[in-house]
Amino acid sequence: MNFYIASGFSNKENVRHVAALLQEKGHRQTYDWTQNVRASTLNDLKRIGELEKTAVIESDFFIILLPAGVGSHIEAGIALGLGKRVFIYSPSQELFSFEKTSTFYYIEGVQRYTGTLDSFVLSVLRELT
């Protein structure tokens, strides 16, 4: 199955780790944005945005690793709008607390996880089978 992982630049090593574990199981990453440098022009933003939008469209499931920025949440909105399965990982329950969470973390088709990244990936793999 094809997947896309959204997160912030500060999480890029975690994104790479999760992607590698999924790829070991035969899944294909639709776009690896962690290979990019930060955009420095509006044209860069447009080019990267188009690549990321296409990658979300081409994915069978979508992962967002928290904490993540605005762009990741827009990508999550695209995935939800297209009916993709969405998996959200947070290193702690804090981002799922009522004061800090999003309504969209709790709608149909979204699954939330905490714990280690490895246990998260194992949970996702179980859900996909």
Side-chain angles (χ1 to χ4, degrees), residues 63-82:
I63 292 173
I64 183 168
L65 301 182
L66 300 177
V70 173
S72 296
H73 286 84
I74 291 170
E75 293 165 341
I78 294 168
L80 288 168
L82 293 171

Side-chain angles (χ1 to χ4, degrees), residues 50-81:
E50 291 293 340
L51 290 168
E52 291 176 348
K53 180 179 105 175
T54 298
V56 172
I57 291 167
E58 292 176 351
S59 68
D60 297 305
F61 63 98
F62 177 91
I63 292 173
I64 183 168
L65 301 182
L66 300 177
V70 173
S72 296
H73 286 84
I74 291 170
E75 293 165 341
I78 294 168
L80 288 168

Side-chain angles (χ1 to χ4, degrees), residues 22 61 63 85 87 111 113 119-129:
L22 292 170
F61 63 98
I63 292 173
R85 292 182 73 179
F87 301 94
Q111 296 178 335
Y113 297 89
S119 67
F120 165 66
V121 171
L122 289 174
S123 294
V124 169
L125 290 169
R126 275 194 300 274
E127 288 292 324
L128 295 173
T129 57

Side-chain angles (χ1 to χ4, degrees), residues 100-113:
K100 294 190 177 189
T101 198
S102 167
T103 56
F104 293 101
Y105 293 178
Y106 293 88
I107 65 173
E108 188 75 29
V110 176
Q111 296 178 335
R112 296 163 309 283
Y113 297 89

